Amino acid sequence: MLTDIVAAVCLALPLASGPAVPPDRGYGIAVMANTGTAFGDARALMDGLVALVEGGTPEIPSSPPYLATDIVFVLLALATVGLAVRGVARSRRWAVVCAGWRRWRLLPLPAPLALCVTIVPITRVLLRGGDIMWIQVVCRYPTFMIWLVTAAVAGTTVTAVRLHAVARTGS
């Protein structure tokens, strides 16, 4: 690979783009790639195209474990739905058995909702001040956001149903 190539990759979630201009070759290369969880390889694509223009063979990039991460988050979402259904189904019994200070155990259930509402400011801090919108976070980390929204809805639903059951039992 030539060392005098002018290249840059720009990250504008959910896309990455960048030009590469080998000065002596008369070619310019522009790459725009989806940078969601499974496709975060814009730099490797750029390097491969530059190698092809120079007559070389591109390196095969190593594949990070994104598929495994996506599977884990999908399984977490399914488990969250199952636990929410169980929590709603047992709400009457819970209202009778859990009296007084035990009801404080409901407090962590809406925490995913709070995280879901504040995910953009948290992501801005993690990106060191980068400007980002909520939909861009969804595009960048789709399975994580599916799990987070599922957990937010599940936690809020279980909390509401259990508080309603407490009000109905009058305890």
Side-chain angles (χ1 to χ4, degrees), residues 17-148:
S17 63
V21 181
D24 300 342
R25 300 287 188 207
Y27 294 102
I29 301 168
V31 171
M32 181 173 280
N34 182 359
T35 58
T37 308
F39 303 106
D41 55 359
R43 186 74 211 177
L45 183 58
M46 175 70 75
D47 292 341
L49 289 172
V50 168
L52 285 173
V53 165
E54 294 178 344
T57 304
E59 292 182 27
I60 298 174
S62 62
S63 65
Y66 293 134
L67 181 60
T69 304
D70 288 344
I71 290 171
V72 166
F73 280 121
V74 167
L75 291 175
L76 281 171
L78 291 173
T80 301
V81 169
L83 290 171
V85 168
R86 181 177 180 226
V88 168
R90 294 181 172 193
S91 63
R92 273 193 199 157
R93 184 171 23 160
W94 182 88
V96 171
V97 173
C98 292
W101 66 271
R102 290 180 147 187
R103 293 195 181 134
W104 285 98
R105 294 190 310 186
L106 282 177
L107 202 55
L109 291 179
L113 179 63
L115 180 59
C116 196
V117 168
T118 60
I119 193 72
V120 170
I122 290 170
T123 306
R124 281 186 185 137
V125 169
L126 295 175
L127 291 175
R128 297 183 207 129
D131 194 21
I132 191 167
M133 296 183 325
W134 201 88
I135 191 67
Q136 291 173 313
V137 178
V138 173
C139 291
R140 177 81 174 162
Y141 310 108
T143 52
F144 170 73
M145 290 304 296
I146 288 170
W147 174 61
L148 182 60

